Amino acid sequence: MAITLQRICRFPVKGLNAETLEKITLTAGQGLPEDRRFAVVYGTGTGARRGFFQQTQEEKLAQLRVAYDAAGPTLTLSRQGRQVVTANPSDQTGRMLLNQFFAGFLAGSPRGTPSFQDLGDHDREEALPNPISIINLASLRDFERVARQPVDPRRFRGNLMIDGLPAWGEFAWLGREIRIGGARLKVFDRTPRCAATNVNPDSAERDMNVPLTLRKGFGHIDMGVYAEVVEGGEVKTGDEVAET
């Protein structure tokens, strides 16, 4: 059975849900273009402890749907099927509108006042320390068997979702290179899972303990692998995935 790329997911705003793409062009040494380009930050005052608002602490962020047009640039956030804000995230007026929205949406958070920010290259390394996340859907199905319930793959916030590989076969790729469409990637680490995966991406509720279920069922808390792009090129859904 051929291994194929089933879905491409980009997370324009760190901590929010993904948007699905049909194709993307990868560049050597870089992650998915525009992935985690923006973030909602706390602790921006002098001497304050800085961090990112994420579903680990703020599960209600899962209520928001994101669409990003890099050509605009235009960022649109929707909630329960209704558009709540559209703005240019790279200019002062647009960031003001986004800050106003998040100030209301995250009102009362113990982390303080949110600040919507366009991350520079240095801050993007902090927001996205590992370039591209790959999820094997066969491993997810095996996890569903142990969890005894359907599990939405969006919980795992992967960039590239593949199928056709045996369950957990992606772990054997560590240190090896794979080709997806016109790009070549090197797999370098497994992806340990945190409490953010406990949040249902549809209901925005914490309705299961994913790390604990992984540990009880498989003796680890990993789902998916990280890879870096070593040769750029276009990848699209339906592309074959193969070791090189």
Side-chain angles (χ1 to χ4, degrees):
M1 181 177 177
I3 308 169
T4 56
L5 177 62
Q6 297 293 307
R7 190 184 304 178
I8 303 170
C9 295
R10 178 173 67 187
F11 299 83
V13 183
K14 181 176 176 63
L16 272 62
N17 285 317
E19 58 179 355
T20 301
L21 306 174
E22 289 299 316
K23 61 182 180 180
I24 197 78
T25 299
L26 300 178
T27 300
Q30 298 183 19
L32 215 69
E34 309 295 337
D35 195 46
R36 277 79 166 186
R37 165 73 181 272
F38 307 98
V40 186
V41 178
Y42 62 84
T44 56
T46 302
R49 179 177 175 272
R50 183 175 181 272
F52 302 109
F53 283 92
Q54 300 182 76
Q55 292 180 29
T56 309
Q57 304 93 4
E58 303 285 353
E59 62 267 26
K60 67 185 300 183
L61 289 171
Q63 297 174 10
L64 302 176
R65 298 293 178 264
V66 182
Y68 178 60
D69 178 6
T74 305
L75 183 73
T76 301
L77 302 180
S78 302
R79 184 183 185 190
Q80 297 177 340
R82 298 181 61 182
Q83 181 179 307
V84 292
V85 62
T86 296
N88 180 341
S90 297
D91 70 19
Q92 185 175 356
T93 301
R95 287 194 295 273
M96 180 185 69
L97 291 171
L98 289 160
N99 280 329
Q100 288 175 346
F101 168 75
F102 281 107
F105 186 72
L106 295 169
S109 170
R111 274 154 285 282
T113 303
S115 174
F116 185 90
Q117 296 188 9
D118 185 341
L119 301 177
D121 290 339
H122 175 73
D123 286 337
R124 283 190 75 194
E125 290 181 6
E126 180 185 358
L128 185 62
N130 295 295
I132 291 179
S133 171
I134 300 174
I135 302 295
N136 178 7
L137 294 176
S139 301
L140 178 65
R141 289 191 292 269
D142 197 35
F143 176 70
E144 290 179 320
R145 174 186 61 82
V146 170
R148 299 183 180 180
Q149 67 182 82
V151 179
D152 193 317
R154 291 179 296 165
R155 287 181 186 262
F156 298 98
R157 309 182 69 76
N159 295 125
L160 305 179
M161 299 188 187
I162 63 172
D163 208 357
L165 184 71
W168 314 109
E170 66 274 26
F171 294 162
W173 283 348
L174 290 182
R176 300 179 182 178
E177 293 185 356
I178 59 174
R179 180 165 291 280
I180 306 177
R184 185 163 49 90
L185 298 86
K186 183 175 182 178
V187 178
F188 65 87
D189 205 359
R190 290 159 59 147
T191 310
R193 293 303 170 177
C194 67
T197 55
N198 297 340
V199 180
N200 186 310
D202 283 325
S203 68
E205 296 178 353
R206 298 181 188 274
D207 58 4
M208 68 182 302
N209 191 325
V210 169
L212 180 62
T213 305
L214 279 167
R215 187 174 297 282
K216 285 185 174 181
F218 303 101
H220 60 74
I221 59 169
D222 305 327
M223 176 66 74
V225 291
Y226 287 123
E228 58 184 352
V229 181
V230 295
E231 180 184 330
E234 183 181 86
V235 300
K236 61 185 183 298
T237 55
D239 277 346
E240 187 169 335
V241 182
E243 283 191 58
T244 61

